[in-house]
Amino acid sequence: MFPQPVLLVIAHGSRDPRHAATVHALVRRVRAMRPELRVETGFLDFNVPSVHGVLESLAAEGVRDVVALPLLLTRAFHAKADIPSVLRQAPARLRIRQADVLGPSPLLTAALERRLYEAGLSPADKSSTGVVLASAGSSDPEAIAVIAEIAREWRHTGWCAVRPAFASASLPRTEDAVRELRELGCARVAVAPYVLAPGFLPDRIARGAAGADVLADVLGPAPEVARVLLERYDAARQPAITAVGA
């Protein structure tokens, strides 16, 4: 029986120490959910260990198979360019498969609702509450379209309305979406950050939520997020997935 591939969670990294702390908390939850799986963490920038450093260490240990999982919610530049570029520089002895990004997923929508309920809402509030689905933003049209589609689908679960908003690169901003939902007549407005960890852009989302009634926490180490990581890992380890650099 061959050992299962190592799961390498690839996070963006940030100068904000809350970012790395949240990533590590999420990875701890993944390990607790599947104790027999080896899970490592690497960062693209700002934090250590670097992705390249982790891959070098794994190769030196004699590890052969790795599933590299981008800790990203949409397929934008980092997933399409940055991460494949880093993986192509890995030691030749490693067989690396890049997993899909986390979103979209019904589990992530469930995590968004979890955070809203933890912030004070209840299922009974849905029909009278407008929600701002606030993401970091991207210049990639595919990523923006995915956020808009998530908002449309989430609206059909019973909320008064759901509007996408972006902290950078795209419009509308969070404060504009909050204002729109007020004008629409929603009795209350909630902001649900569709981001994984605290940092500069999530802080901008929080400032934009000043006019809202409820601001949820980031997704962070929610159990639903950990389950999505394991789903993406399981899908990527299948033989049909083409190895990076193969």
Side-chain angles (χ1 to χ4, degrees):
M1 177 110 179
F2 292 104
Q4 57 187 332
V6 171
L7 169 56
L8 172 57
V9 176
I10 300 179
H12 182 274
S14 170
R15 292 187 178 90
D16 189 322
R18 296 173 299 167
H19 173 90
T22 303
V23 171
H24 291 311
L26 175 59
V27 169
R28 285 195 297 271
R29 185 179 286 276
V30 171
R31 289 178 179 140
M33 292 173 70
R34 195 171 294 183
E36 75 282 5
L37 174 62
R38 180 173 177 180
V39 186
E40 299 291 344
T41 309
F43 295 90
L44 290 174
D45 207 351
F46 302 117
N47 302 104
V48 292
S50 68
V51 175
H52 182 72
V54 174
L55 293 172
E56 291 279 356
S57 296
L58 291 174
E61 288 181 33
V63 169
R64 179 70 180 90
D65 289 309
V66 176
V67 169
L69 193 154
L71 198 59
L72 300 168
L73 294 173
T74 58
R75 266 184 53 79
F77 182 79
H78 293 304
K80 294 176 179 178
D82 281 356
I83 291 176
S85 176
V86 171
L87 297 181
R88 283 193 293 269
Q89 300 170 36
R93 66 168 285 115
L94 291 176
R95 181 171 183 262
I96 304 175
R97 285 162 282 187
Q98 182 176 330
D100 284 340
V101 298
L102 302 184
S105 167
L107 285 170
L108 294 179
T109 305
L112 288 166
E113 295 214 2
R114 169 193 289 275
R115 294 303 189 220
L116 285 170
Y117 297 151
E118 289 171 350
L121 293 180
S122 73
D125 297 322
K126 291 183 75 168
S127 63
S128 59
T129 302
V131 177
V132 178
L133 179 66
S135 77
S138 173
S139 58
D140 188 309
E142 178 187 349
I144 297 304
V146 167
I147 299 300
E149 180 60 24
I150 293 170
R152 282 192 292 269
E153 292 186 2
W154 200 16
R155 161 69 181 85
H156 295 317
T157 66
W159 296 101
C160 173
V162 180
R163 294 290 187 271
F166 308 94
S168 68
S170 305
L171 296 174
R173 295 286 184 256
T174 302
E175 53 269 32
D176 299 325
V178 169
R179 190 178 308 111
E180 179 186 350
L181 290 172
R182 291 281 188 213
E183 294 171 353
L184 190 64
C186 298
R188 66 182 62 80
V189 176
V191 175
Y194 189 59
V195 293
L196 288 166
F200 177 75
L201 293 178
D203 283 350
R204 181 179 288 176
I205 289 172
R207 290 193 297 272
D213 302 293
V214 173
L215 171 61
D217 200 358
V218 298
L219 294 173
E224 295 88 352
V225 179
R227 286 173 58 195
V228 176
L229 261 72
L230 290 171
E231 283 186 358
R232 298 293 184 256
Y233 168 82
D234 290 335
R237 65 184 292 206
Q238 300 306 314
I241 301 297
T242 302
V244 173

